[in-house]
Amino acid sequence: LMKAPEDLAELESMMISYYAATTKKRNRSDQMYRHDVGGLMQVPEGMEVHESSTPSLMVDNLRDQIRTDEPIVTYQATGKSQSALQFKELAQMWAAGILHEVSASSLIDPIQQLVHDFLLRGASCIKFLIDPEYMLPPGGEEDPDTGMFPWLVKAVDPISIFPAPGSKRTPSYVLECQTRTVLDMQMHYADHWHDPIVRRGGKKRKASDPVKWLEFWSGPSFKDGKQTDPGQYVVEADGIRIIDQPNPYGVLPYVFSYSGLGRANHDGEPSHLSEGILDSVVGELEEEIRIKTAWAHQWLFSAYPRLLTTDDPRRVRRQFMVSAGSVIKYNPGEKPEWMEQQPP
């Protein structure tokens, strides 16, 4: 049986180490996609690094070609009888309706984000829960005018998900790492969570300060066809365990899958499985940014040369009517001179 450890932070540390290469590769591609080029190369003060749109165009253009606006649901009939075929049609209609409600009730269509994550992250994950406030009481009749949909279905960023190591299609457990706020904890978990910093005599934190949320789910265990353990649902917030109960669903509420662009390698390293479309060309994308940045600076310095002087740069700047950064003070020599620059 897979039991949650006494300290989820220890499990998180182990998972971070196990998925270190995978996370590094995802972060590298993510920086290219988000135009986060600050630390990619060193440039003179006041100069900008070129922000290439190539990575985002590669991902977004392909994502637009893979759409599921009208998904087709296929259900395998249990037999060839009329009742079995009728149930098949009913099941397919029900599933199509559920998919429509999932898309309509979400801020971002989780199915479309799955496609995006497959391309960018090399993996995707969907999480499904039930909101008890929208559950009908036993024997209750559904009112079509209420518009209540009890399923909470959302896509989860694979960077924050750590499935159990192994080759099982459905992992035995999943650890999810989130960042919440002090206000969120006080509003929803005031009876179970008390700020550990305050309890240790520290200063009271702001309502917007982050709180580390670790969520552990394990699926049921079976032996000889019978369930022997329902699984666990455990939550720790800044090291304080606020939820520890059996899995209420009887299934693992996550569906995790790799993109299929990777492969199972002999060393068992999971980074080989998680392959996005930018991972194999990220070196060329980074070099494109360096080259275009150098081109831009070469043209800039040719069109707007820099002035060397032993005088006060501010006075010379006003005299020559040039912009800040175009006048550089230096010691040798007596008269101002233009800094030599190779033509572009």
Side-chain angles (χ1 to χ4, degrees):
L1 302 181
M2 177 57 204
K3 295 293 184 182
E6 294 296 327
D7 184 4
L8 290 185
E10 293 183 3
L11 178 62
E12 181 199 21
S13 178
M14 183 192 75
M15 289 297 199
I16 290 175
S17 177
Y18 180 75
Y19 286 103
T22 305
T23 303
K24 181 179 179 181
K25 183 164 67 171
R26 290 172 179 168
N27 286 334
R28 190 180 179 191
S29 293
D30 188 61
Q31 287 179 323
M32 291 290 97
Y33 180 79
R34 293 187 294 106
H35 304 172
D36 183 8
V37 296
L40 188 61
M41 62 183 299
Q42 297 295 325
V43 294
E45 184 178 0
M47 299 299 174
E48 300 292 335
V49 178
H50 174 73
E51 296 184 6
S52 173
S53 62
T54 303
S56 54
L57 289 176
M58 289 175 61
V59 175
D60 295 342
N61 287 344
L62 188 55
R63 179 187 61 177
D64 289 341
Q65 298 178 38
I66 307 175
R67 304 196 63 85
T68 53
D69 294 333
E70 297 180 1
I72 298 176
V73 180
T74 302
Y75 178 83
Q76 186 67 38
T78 57
K80 297 182 179 180
S81 64
Q82 184 177 0
S83 61
L85 296 177
Q86 288 177 344
F87 183 80
K88 173 185 176 180
E89 295 295 327
L90 183 63
Q92 291 180 163
M93 290 175 59
W94 177 85
I98 291 294
L99 285 176
H100 173 75
E101 289 294 336
V102 165
S103 300
S105 60
S106 303
L107 291 175
I108 297 178
D109 187 344
I111 308 300
Q112 289 301 321
Q113 184 169 333
L114 292 182
V115 176
H116 193 191
D117 288 342
F118 272 138
L119 298 172
L120 180 60
R121 303 281 196 239
S124 64
C125 180
I126 199 166
K127 182 180 183 180
F128 53 92
L129 304 172
I130 295 177
D131 190 339
E133 294 183 2
Y134 290 93
M135 289 295 294
L136 292 173
E141 295 184 1
E142 183 176 356
D143 184 357
D145 296 329
T146 60
M148 294 188 300
F149 185 66
W151 294 96
L152 298 174
V153 182
K154 61 180 182 178
V156 184
D157 193 337
I159 288 182
S160 63
I161 290 291
F162 297 109
S167 57
K168 284 187 177 181
R169 183 66 180 83
T170 301
S172 56
Y173 66 88
V174 167
L175 179 68
E176 180 180 354
C177 304
Q178 302 178 13
T179 300
R180 299 200 175 185
T181 63
V182 172
L183 178 62
D184 185 29
M185 301 305 301
Q186 292 172 343
M187 290 180 60
H188 299 95
Y189 304 96
D191 295 337
H192 307 285
W193 186 84
H194 303 282
D195 195 336
I197 295 180
V198 175
R199 293 174 61 181
R200 292 194 295 265
K203 185 179 179 181
K204 183 178 180 181
R205 289 190 286 180
K206 298 179 182 179
S208 59
D209 284 349
V211 173
K212 189 174 185 178
W213 174 284
L214 297 178
E215 186 171 332
F216 174 91
W217 288 86
S218 63
S221 301
F222 296 88
K223 184 177 181 180
D224 299 331
K226 296 182 179 180
Q227 186 180 104
T228 57
D229 184 81
Q232 272 187 288
Y233 170 41
V234 179
V235 172
E236 289 182 1
D238 273 355
I240 298 177
R241 185 160 295 195
I242 58 176
I243 298 176
D244 191 344
Q245 65 183 43
N247 184 338
Y249 302 124
V251 294
L252 191 69
Y254 294 90
V255 178
F256 180 89
S257 179
Y258 291 107
S259 63
L261 299 176
R263 59 185 300 276
N265 203 52
H266 67 91
D267 58 4
E269 168 59 49
S271 62
H272 298 297
L273 296 168
S274 180
E275 191 73 21
I277 64 171
L278 300 182
D279 293 334
S280 60
V281 294
V282 67
E284 284 73 15
L285 295 173
E286 291 175 345
E287 194 60 30
E288 175 195 348
I289 293 174
R290 295 188 183 98
I291 292 173
K292 289 187 176 180
T293 299
W295 286 351
H297 291 178
Q298 194 175 28
W299 281 106
L300 182 64
F301 292 148
S302 178
Y304 305 101
R306 292 170 291 179
L307 184 66
L308 299 180
T309 181
T310 57
D311 206 344
D312 182 6
R314 291 173 295 182
R315 188 181 68 82
V316 176
R317 187 181 306 128
R318 290 193 299 268
Q319 179 181 355
F320 282 79
M321 293 184 295
V322 294
S323 63
S326 298
V327 181
I328 302 174
K329 184 176 182 179
Y330 81 124
N331 292 325
E334 298 179 354
K335 61 180 181 179
E337 59 180 278
W338 293 107
M339 189 173 182
E340 290 186 4
Q341 179 71 28
Q342 294 293 332

